[in-house]
Amino acid sequence: MIYEVKDLTFSYPSDRRKVLNGASLSLGKGEVLCILGPNGAGKTTLLNCMAGLLSPDSGEVFLCDRNMREMKEKEIARLVGYVPQLHTPSFDYSAIDFVLMGRAPKTGTFSRPTEEDEEICMSVLTSMGLEYLADKSYLNISGGERQQLLIARAIVQEPEVVLFDEPTAHLDFGNQHRVLRRIRRMAEEGFSVIMTTHNPDHALLLGGKAAIVSRDGTIFQGDCEEIVTEKNLREVYDIDLKLMYIEELGRKVCLVPEL
């Protein structure tokens, strides 16, 4: 297993409520797991605990069969790539230099990126059709392009698993589709992927596994077809969403009722 999350609890110091309350899930190599849940349910908090950015109050997270409490930050960084929902840079970089930062866990503390590191970054940009961005300022490109560079940075890190926090939240339809297609390809290439989303249709598109973080901080997980049901979606979003098979698309889609 890549991840085993067991009975995780977490609460913020300013809030007595348990954001996570006995949360458990698992992820195997090459699997895609989409995590759904209402606003404030704890999806981002869960990812931060799994990335080692937050320490749970209780429970354990095992990464590649090792307890994360016993792992150093650089050890976690070699195994886990993290693509945040938003990224606001403090300094300006060229796109290629921004992506090159993903190689940091592979280099020594006082080492410089090698020519091989630069070639790996350029190869990934080219495979994603982003080579035209290489010398552009990271501050002067679109939100969709930044999001794809964040993904490129995670790929060049060469981790075992990549965590995506609502990667399509601020993208237009075209870029949403491109990002989802890239995530599917990553799983086919052997990466394990966890993605939070508010769009059940994205979970249906990716297939694989799905999980729902409930309002009480618990999680239930299973195959996408078992978890993404009209009953479960109604409980999560308090709206009568409909799942329908569209023959022209060859798949099931999630539709909203009339306003």
Side-chain angles (χ1 to χ4, degrees):
M1 280 291 175
I2 299 297
Y3 264 120
E4 284 281 354
V5 177
K6 298 183 177 181
D7 299 321
L8 218 63
T9 63
F10 182 89
S11 56
Y12 291 98
S14 59
D15 187 357
R16 293 183 179 180
R17 178 180 71 92
K18 289 183 178 180
V19 180
L20 300 174
N21 186 16
S24 299
L25 60 79
S26 62
L27 180 75
K29 185 171 180 59
E31 288 185 339
V32 176
L33 171 64
C34 287
I35 301 178
L36 302 164
N39 285 328
K43 299 184 296 299
T44 298
T45 298
L46 174 64
L47 287 195
N48 286 337
C49 288
M50 295 176 73
L53 301 176
L54 291 176
S55 296
D57 300 332
S58 63
E60 306 295 342
V61 179
F62 292 88
L63 173 61
C64 295
D65 299 320
R66 296 183 61 190
N67 192 322
M68 285 184 62
R69 294 186 188 274
E70 301 170 358
M71 297 175 69
K72 297 179 180 179
E73 290 181 0
K74 193 159 187 175
E75 290 178 304
I76 296 171
R78 290 194 184 105
L79 296 170
V80 181
Y82 188 40
V83 179
Q85 185 180 155
L86 288 172
H87 180 259
T88 304
S90 301
F91 304 97
D92 194 13
Y93 305 95
S94 66
I96 188 69
D97 284 343
F98 178 78
V99 174
L100 192 58
M101 293 176 194
R103 298 295 295 169
K106 305 289 185 181
T107 61
T109 304
F110 299 106
S111 301
R112 293 173 60 87
T114 65
E115 184 176 334
E116 181 185 3
D117 290 326
E118 294 176 359
E119 289 174 354
I120 289 171
C121 292
M122 200 64 216
S123 176
V124 170
L125 287 177
T126 301
S127 72
M128 296 178 67
L130 300 174
E131 66 275 14
Y132 70 96
L133 290 176
D135 297 322
K136 289 190 176 182
S137 162
Y138 185 75
L139 292 177
N140 295 326
I141 60 178
S142 72
E145 289 170 329
R146 283 188 190 178
Q147 190 69 16
Q148 295 200 65
L149 288 179
L150 284 166
I151 295 172
R153 188 174 69 168
I155 293 173
V156 303
Q157 187 177 330
E158 297 178 334
E160 290 290 329
V161 58
V162 182
L163 310 179
F164 292 89
D165 191 10
E166 296 187 38
T168 62
H170 304 283
L171 303 181
D172 61 45
F173 274 162
N175 279 317
Q176 286 182 33
H177 187 265
R178 292 182 191 97
V179 167
L180 292 173
R181 187 168 55 195
R182 184 65 219 183
I183 289 172
R184 168 73 66 80
R185 191 177 307 149
M186 289 173 69
E188 293 169 351
E189 292 169 354
F191 290 95
S192 301
V193 175
I194 296 179
M195 182 184 91
T196 65
T197 179
H198 280 296
N199 192 331
D201 202 48
H202 290 174
L204 294 171
L205 269 169
L206 289 172
K209 304 289 185 179
I212 291 178
V213 182
S214 302
R215 297 178 192 277
D216 63 1
T218 59
I219 296 176
F220 55 99
Q221 176 188 0
D223 291 335
C224 187
E225 291 286 329
E226 299 171 349
I227 298 299
V228 184
T229 65
E230 291 181 355
K231 177 179 180 295
N232 288 340
L233 294 177
R234 188 180 305 117
E235 292 176 358
V236 171
Y237 299 112
D238 194 26
I239 186 174
D240 286 323
L241 297 172
K242 298 296 181 185
L243 300 178
M244 298 182 64
Y245 184 84
I246 305 298
E247 189 171 349
E248 289 83 352
L249 298 177
R251 70 177 185 89
K252 190 181 292 185
V253 300
C254 181
L255 302 173
V256 297
E258 289 184 331
L259 298 177

PDB file of all heavy atoms in Angstrom, residues 94-121:
ATOM      1  N   SER A  94      11.350  32.179 -13.819  1.00  0.00           N
ATOM      2  CA  SER A  94      10.959  31.659 -15.123  1.00  0.00           C
ATOM      3  C   SER A  94      10.221  30.352 -14.874  1.00  0.00           C
ATOM      4  O   SER A  94      10.393  29.698 -13.829  1.00  0.00           O
ATOM      5  CB  SER A  94      12.186  31.406 -15.998  1.00  0.00           C
ATOM      6  OG  SER A  94      12.972  30.356 -15.455  1.00  0.00           O
ATOM      7  N   ALA A  95       9.384  29.964 -15.811  1.00  0.00           N
ATOM      8  CA  ALA A  95       8.599  28.742 -15.650  1.00  0.00           C
ATOM      9  C   ALA A  95       9.503  27.526 -15.455  1.00  0.00           C
ATOM     10  O   ALA A  95       9.227  26.665 -14.608  1.00  0.00           O
ATOM     11  CB  ALA A  95       7.692  28.541 -16.859  1.00  0.00           C
ATOM     12  N   ILE A  96      10.598  27.458 -16.216  1.00  0.00           N
ATOM     13  CA  ILE A  96      11.482  26.306 -16.104  1.00  0.00           C
ATOM     14  C   ILE A  96      12.151  26.257 -14.734  1.00  0.00           C
ATOM     15  O   ILE A  96      12.314  25.177 -14.139  1.00  0.00           O
ATOM     16  CB  ILE A  96      12.538  26.307 -17.243  1.00  0.00           C
ATOM     17  CG1 ILE A  96      13.340  25.003 -17.239  1.00  0.00           C
ATOM     18  CG2 ILE A  96      13.455  27.517 -17.132  1.00  0.00           C
ATOM     19  CD1 ILE A  96      12.559  23.784 -17.632  1.00  0.00           C
ATOM     20  N   ASP A  97      12.497  27.410 -14.164  1.00  0.00           N
ATOM     21  CA  ASP A  97      13.095  27.430 -12.829  1.00  0.00           C
ATOM     22  C   ASP A  97      12.077  27.022 -11.769  1.00  0.00           C
ATOM     23  O   ASP A  97      12.427  26.351 -10.783  1.00  0.00           O
ATOM     24  CB  ASP A  97      13.647  28.818 -12.511  1.00  0.00           C
ATOM     25  CG  ASP A  97      14.963  29.099 -13.229  1.00  0.00           C
ATOM     26  OD1 ASP A  97      15.598  28.133 -13.689  1.00  0.00           O
ATOM     27  OD2 ASP A  97      15.343  30.287 -13.344  1.00  0.00           O
ATOM     28  N   PHE A  98      10.828  27.433 -11.967  1.00  0.00           N
ATOM     29  CA  PHE A  98       9.775  27.043 -11.027  1.00  0.00           C
ATOM     30  C   PHE A  98       9.605  25.529 -11.020  1.00  0.00           C
ATOM     31  O   PHE A  98       9.510  24.903  -9.953  1.00  0.00           O
ATOM     32  CB  PHE A  98       8.462  27.726 -11.400  1.00  0.00           C
ATOM     33  CG  PHE A  98       7.307  27.339 -10.517  1.00  0.00           C
ATOM     34  CD1 PHE A  98       7.172  27.890  -9.254  1.00  0.00           C
ATOM     35  CD2 PHE A  98       6.360  26.415 -10.942  1.00  0.00           C
ATOM     36  CE1 PHE A  98       6.113  27.522  -8.428  1.00  0.00           C
ATOM     37  CE2 PHE A  98       5.312  26.047 -10.125  1.00  0.00           C
ATOM     38  CZ  PHE A  98       5.188  26.604  -8.866  1.00  0.00           C
ATOM     39  N   VAL A  99       9.562  24.926 -12.199  1.00  0.00           N
ATOM     40  CA  VAL A  99       9.425  23.475 -12.292  1.00  0.00           C
ATOM     41  C   VAL A  99      10.653  22.782 -11.725  1.00  0.00           C
ATOM     42  O   VAL A  99      10.559  21.739 -11.063  1.00  0.00           O
ATOM     43  CB  VAL A  99       9.174  23.056 -13.756  1.00  0.00           C
ATOM     44  CG1 VAL A  99       9.177  21.535 -13.904  1.00  0.00           C
ATOM     45  CG2 VAL A  99       7.842  23.621 -14.246  1.00  0.00           C
ATOM     46  N   LEU A 100      11.809  23.361 -11.937  1.00  0.00           N
ATOM     47  CA  LEU A 100      13.074  22.786 -11.464  1.00  0.00           C
ATOM     48  C   LEU A 100      13.103  22.638  -9.947  1.00  0.00           C
ATOM     49  O   LEU A 100      13.798  21.771  -9.400  1.00  0.00           O
ATOM     50  CB  LEU A 100      14.236  23.659 -11.939  1.00  0.00           C
ATOM     51  CG  LEU A 100      15.664  23.114 -11.816  1.00  0.00           C
ATOM     52  CD1 LEU A 100      15.813  21.800 -12.572  1.00  0.00           C
ATOM     53  CD2 LEU A 100      16.662  24.147 -12.328  1.00  0.00           C
ATOM     54  N   MET A 101      12.332  23.477  -9.242  1.00  0.00           N
ATOM     55  CA  MET A 101      12.270  23.374  -7.779  1.00  0.00           C
ATOM     56  C   MET A 101      11.761  22.004  -7.335  1.00  0.00           C
ATOM     57  O   MET A 101      12.037  21.558  -6.219  1.00  0.00           O
ATOM     58  CB  MET A 101      11.367  24.462  -7.211  1.00  0.00           C
ATOM     59  CG  MET A 101      11.895  25.862  -7.386  1.00  0.00           C
ATOM     60  SD  MET A 101      10.691  27.077  -6.766  1.00  0.00           S
ATOM     61  CE  MET A 101      11.351  28.579  -7.467  1.00  0.00           C
ATOM     62  N   GLY A 102      10.985  21.342  -8.204  1.00  0.00           N
ATOM     63  CA  GLY A 102      10.497  20.015  -7.869  1.00  0.00           C
ATOM     64  C   GLY A 102      11.604  18.984  -7.710  1.00  0.00           C
ATOM     65  O   GLY A 102      11.392  17.916  -7.128  1.00  0.00           O
ATOM     66  N   ARG A 103      12.791  19.283  -8.208  1.00  0.00           N
ATOM     67  CA  ARG A 103      13.920  18.355  -8.087  1.00  0.00           C
ATOM     68  C   ARG A 103      14.640  18.475  -6.742  1.00  0.00           C
ATOM     69  O   ARG A 103      15.552  17.686  -6.454  1.00  0.00           O
ATOM     70  CB  ARG A 103      14.932  18.611  -9.215  1.00  0.00           C
ATOM     71  CG  ARG A 103      14.387  18.396 -10.607  1.00  0.00           C
ATOM     72  CD  ARG A 103      14.012  16.955 -10.872  1.00  0.00           C
ATOM     73  NE  ARG A 103      15.178  16.076 -10.842  1.00  0.00           N
ATOM     74  CZ  ARG A 103      15.107  14.743 -10.840  1.00  0.00           C
ATOM     75  NH1 ARG A 103      13.919  14.139 -10.829  1.00  0.00           N
ATOM     76  NH2 ARG A 103      16.204  14.004 -10.825  1.00  0.00           N
ATOM     77  N   ALA A 104      14.232  19.444  -5.912  1.00  0.00           N
ATOM     78  CA  ALA A 104      14.931  19.705  -4.645  1.00  0.00           C
ATOM     79  C   ALA A 104      15.092  18.460  -3.767  1.00  0.00           C
ATOM     80  O   ALA A 104      16.169  18.242  -3.196  1.00  0.00           O
ATOM     81  CB  ALA A 104      14.221  20.821  -3.879  1.00  0.00           C
ATOM     82  N   PRO A 105      14.046  17.604  -3.609  1.00  0.00           N
ATOM     83  CA  PRO A 105      14.234  16.421  -2.754  1.00  0.00           C
ATOM     84  C   PRO A 105      15.266  15.443  -3.283  1.00  0.00           C
ATOM     85  O   PRO A 105      15.733  14.574  -2.541  1.00  0.00           O
ATOM     86  CB  PRO A 105      12.837  15.780  -2.747  1.00  0.00           C
ATOM     87  CG  PRO A 105      11.896  16.880  -3.089  1.00  0.00           C
ATOM     88  CD  PRO A 105      12.646  17.739  -4.060  1.00  0.00           C
ATOM     89  N   LYS A 106      15.638  15.571  -4.560  1.00  0.00           N
ATOM     90  CA  LYS A 106      16.608  14.648  -5.163  1.00  0.00           C
ATOM     91  C   LYS A 106      18.044  15.156  -5.040  1.00  0.00           C
ATOM     92  O   LYS A 106      18.986  14.446  -5.393  1.00  0.00           O
ATOM     93  CB  LYS A 106      16.285  14.450  -6.654  1.00  0.00           C
ATOM     94  CG  LYS A 106      14.872  13.977  -6.948  1.00  0.00           C
ATOM     95  CD  LYS A 106      14.663  12.543  -6.536  1.00  0.00           C
ATOM     96  CE  LYS A 106      13.282  12.044  -6.953  1.00  0.00           C
ATOM     97  NZ  LYS A 106      13.043  10.649  -6.535  1.00  0.00           N
ATOM     98  N   THR A 107      18.213  16.398  -4.583  1.00  0.00           N
ATOM     99  CA  THR A 107      19.555  16.990  -4.519  1.00  0.00           C
ATOM    100  C   THR A 107      20.000  17.150  -3.071  1.00  0.00           C
ATOM    101  O   THR A 107      19.184  17.143  -2.147  1.00  0.00           O
ATOM    102  CB  THR A 107      19.574  18.367  -5.202  1.00  0.00           C
ATOM    103  OG1 THR A 107      18.675  19.250  -4.524  1.00  0.00           O
ATOM    104  CG2 THR A 107      19.145  18.256  -6.660  1.00  0.00           C
ATOM    105  N   GLY A 108      21.308  17.318  -2.879  1.00  0.00           N
ATOM    106  CA  GLY A 108      21.841  17.545  -1.542  1.00  0.00           C
ATOM    107  C   GLY A 108      21.536  18.957  -1.066  1.00  0.00           C
ATOM    108  O   GLY A 108      21.148  19.832  -1.846  1.00  0.00           O
ATOM    109  N   THR A 109      21.757  19.190   0.212  1.00  0.00           N
ATOM    110  CA  THR A 109      21.417  20.470   0.834  1.00  0.00           C
ATOM    111  C   THR A 109      22.114  21.643   0.156  1.00  0.00           C
ATOM    112  O   THR A 109      21.517  22.687  -0.071  1.00  0.00           O
ATOM    113  CB  THR A 109      21.777  20.449   2.323  1.00  0.00           C
ATOM    114  OG1 THR A 109      21.112  19.348   2.950  1.00  0.00           O
ATOM    115  CG2 THR A 109      21.340  21.742   3.002  1.00  0.00           C
ATOM    116  N   PHE A 110      23.384  21.476  -0.186  1.00  0.00           N
ATOM    117  CA  PHE A 110      24.141  22.578  -0.778  1.00  0.00           C
ATOM    118  C   PHE A 110      24.445  22.331  -2.259  1.00  0.00           C
ATOM    119  O   PHE A 110      25.336  22.959  -2.832  1.00  0.00           O
ATOM    120  CB  PHE A 110      25.445  22.787  -0.001  1.00  0.00           C
ATOM    121  CG  PHE A 110      25.221  23.155   1.449  1.00  0.00           C
ATOM    122  CD1 PHE A 110      25.449  22.234   2.449  1.00  0.00           C
ATOM    123  CD2 PHE A 110      24.755  24.420   1.787  1.00  0.00           C
ATOM    124  CE1 PHE A 110      25.228  22.560   3.785  1.00  0.00           C
ATOM    125  CE2 PHE A 110      24.532  24.755   3.108  1.00  0.00           C
ATOM    126  CZ  PHE A 110      24.770  23.829   4.113  1.00  0.00           C
ATOM    127  N   SER A 111      23.696  21.410  -2.857  1.00  0.00           N
ATOM    128  CA  SER A 111      23.938  21.073  -4.264  1.00  0.00           C
ATOM    129  C   SER A 111      23.132  21.972  -5.188  1.00  0.00           C
ATOM    130  O   SER A 111      22.111  22.548  -4.797  1.00  0.00           O
ATOM    131  CB  SER A 111      23.580  19.616  -4.529  1.00  0.00           C
ATOM    132  OG  SER A 111      24.339  18.747  -3.723  1.00  0.00           O
ATOM    133  N   ARG A 112      23.595  22.079  -6.427  1.00  0.00           N
ATOM    134  CA  ARG A 112      22.881  22.810  -7.464  1.00  0.00           C
ATOM    135  C   ARG A 112      22.232  21.805  -8.414  1.00  0.00           C
ATOM    136  O   ARG A 112      22.711  20.686  -8.559  1.00  0.00           O
ATOM    137  CB  ARG A 112      23.854  23.695  -8.249  1.00  0.00           C
ATOM    138  CG  ARG A 112      24.456  24.828  -7.441  1.00  0.00           C
ATOM    139  CD  ARG A 112      25.530  25.544  -8.251  1.00  0.00           C
ATOM    140  NE  ARG A 112      24.966  26.100  -9.478  1.00  0.00           N
ATOM    141  CZ  ARG A 112      24.396  27.297  -9.554  1.00  0.00           C
ATOM    142  NH1 ARG A 112      24.298  28.054  -8.471  1.00  0.00           N
ATOM    143  NH2 ARG A 112      23.938  27.746 -10.702  1.00  0.00           N
ATOM    144  N   PRO A 113      21.124  22.211  -9.050  1.00  0.00           N
ATOM    145  CA  PRO A 113      20.524  21.319 -10.049  1.00  0.00           C
ATOM    146  C   PRO A 113      21.528  20.979 -11.147  1.00  0.00           C
ATOM    147  O   PRO A 113      22.317  21.827 -11.567  1.00  0.00           O
ATOM    148  CB  PRO A 113      19.362  22.146 -10.599  1.00  0.00           C
ATOM    149  CG  PRO A 113      19.059  23.155  -9.543  1.00  0.00           C
ATOM    150  CD  PRO A 113      20.372  23.468  -8.892  1.00  0.00           C
ATOM    151  N   THR A 114      21.504  19.746 -11.586  1.00  0.00           N
ATOM    152  CA  THR A 114      22.428  19.297 -12.610  1.00  0.00           C
ATOM    153  C   THR A 114      21.824  19.481 -14.002  1.00  0.00           C
ATOM    154  O   THR A 114      20.638  19.800 -14.154  1.00  0.00           O
ATOM    155  CB  THR A 114      22.764  17.815 -12.412  1.00  0.00           C
ATOM    156  OG1 THR A 114      21.558  17.047 -12.626  1.00  0.00           O
ATOM    157  CG2 THR A 114      23.295  17.562 -11.006  1.00  0.00           C
ATOM    158  N   GLU A 115      22.643  19.242 -15.000  1.00  0.00           N
ATOM    159  CA  GLU A 115      22.151  19.294 -16.372  1.00  0.00           C
ATOM    160  C   GLU A 115      21.076  18.234 -16.596  1.00  0.00           C
ATOM    161  O   GLU A 115      20.102  18.464 -17.319  1.00  0.00           O
ATOM    162  CB  GLU A 115      23.321  19.061 -17.344  1.00  0.00           C
ATOM    163  CG  GLU A 115      22.938  19.195 -18.816  1.00  0.00           C
ATOM    164  CD  GLU A 115      24.134  19.063 -19.731  1.00  0.00           C
ATOM    165  OE1 GLU A 115      25.258  19.356 -19.290  1.00  0.00           O
ATOM    166  OE2 GLU A 115      23.933  18.656 -20.895  1.00  0.00           O
ATOM    167  N   GLU A 116      21.231  17.081 -15.933  1.00  0.00           N
ATOM    168  CA  GLU A 116      20.216  16.028 -16.031  1.00  0.00           C
ATOM    169  C   GLU A 116      18.890  16.509 -15.446  1.00  0.00           C
ATOM    170  O   GLU A 116      17.822  16.229 -15.995  1.00  0.00           O
ATOM    171  CB  GLU A 116      20.677  14.769 -15.305  1.00  0.00           C
ATOM    172  CG  GLU A 116      19.675  13.618 -15.396  1.00  0.00           C
ATOM    173  CD  GLU A 116      20.082  12.412 -14.579  1.00  0.00           C
ATOM    174  OE1 GLU A 116      21.118  12.482 -13.889  1.00  0.00           O
ATOM    175  OE2 GLU A 116      19.366  11.400 -14.627  1.00  0.00           O
ATOM    176  N   ASP A 117      18.950  17.224 -14.307  1.00  0.00           N
ATOM    177  CA  ASP A 117      17.733  17.768 -13.704  1.00  0.00           C
ATOM    178  C   ASP A 117      17.018  18.692 -14.695  1.00  0.00           C
ATOM    179  O   ASP A 117      15.791  18.628 -14.858  1.00  0.00           O
ATOM    180  CB  ASP A 117      18.062  18.550 -12.428  1.00  0.00           C
ATOM    181  CG  ASP A 117      18.526  17.658 -11.284  1.00  0.00           C
ATOM    182  OD1 ASP A 117      18.027  16.521 -11.185  1.00  0.00           O
ATOM    183  OD2 ASP A 117      19.391  18.097 -10.521  1.00  0.00           O
ATOM    184  N   GLU A 118      17.773  19.554 -15.353  1.00  0.00           N
ATOM    185  CA  GLU A 118      17.190  20.495 -16.310  1.00  0.00           C
ATOM    186  C   GLU A 118      16.589  19.761 -17.497  1.00  0.00           C
ATOM    187  O   GLU A 118      15.516  20.133 -18.000  1.00  0.00           O
ATOM    188  CB  GLU A 118      18.249  21.499 -16.756  1.00  0.00           C
ATOM    189  CG  GLU A 118      18.731  22.420 -15.639  1.00  0.00           C
ATOM    190  CD  GLU A 118      19.858  23.340 -16.079  1.00  0.00           C
ATOM    191  OE1 GLU A 118      20.276  23.240 -17.259  1.00  0.00           O
ATOM    192  OE2 GLU A 118      20.304  24.163 -15.251  1.00  0.00           O
ATOM    193  N   GLU A 119      17.245  18.686 -17.936  1.00  0.00           N
ATOM    194  CA  GLU A 119      16.723  17.908 -19.058  1.00  0.00           C
ATOM    195  C   GLU A 119      15.420  17.207 -18.687  1.00  0.00           C
ATOM    196  O   GLU A 119      14.494  17.125 -19.498  1.00  0.00           O
ATOM    197  CB  GLU A 119      17.772  16.891 -19.501  1.00  0.00           C
ATOM    198  CG  GLU A 119      18.979  17.505 -20.199  1.00  0.00           C
ATOM    199  CD  GLU A 119      20.064  16.483 -20.502  1.00  0.00           C
ATOM    200  OE1 GLU A 119      19.914  15.313 -20.069  1.00  0.00           O
ATOM    201  OE2 GLU A 119      21.055  16.851 -21.158  1.00  0.00           O
ATOM    202  N   ILE A 120      15.354  16.703 -17.452  1.00  0.00           N
ATOM    203  CA  ILE A 120      14.121  16.059 -16.982  1.00  0.00           C
ATOM    204  C   ILE A 120      12.965  17.061 -16.979  1.00  0.00           C
ATOM    205  O   ILE A 120      11.854  16.767 -17.427  1.00  0.00           O
ATOM    206  CB  ILE A 120      14.327  15.455 -15.582  1.00  0.00           C
ATOM    207  CG1 ILE A 120      15.241  14.233 -15.666  1.00  0.00           C
ATOM    208  CG2 ILE A 120      12.985  15.070 -14.942  1.00  0.00           C
ATOM    209  CD1 ILE A 120      15.684  13.700 -14.316  1.00  0.00           C
ATOM    210  N   CYS A 121      13.226  18.265 -16.483  1.00  0.00           N
ATOM    211  CA  CYS A 121      12.186  19.303 -16.425  1.00  0.00           C
ATOM    212  C   CYS A 121      11.703  19.668 -17.829  1.00  0.00           C
ATOM    213  O   CYS A 121      10.503  19.790 -18.072  1.00  0.00           O
ATOM    214  CB  CYS A 121      12.713  20.540 -15.699  1.00  0.00           C
ATOM    215  SG  CYS A 121      13.001  20.282 -13.943  1.00  0.00           S
TER     216      CYS A 121
END
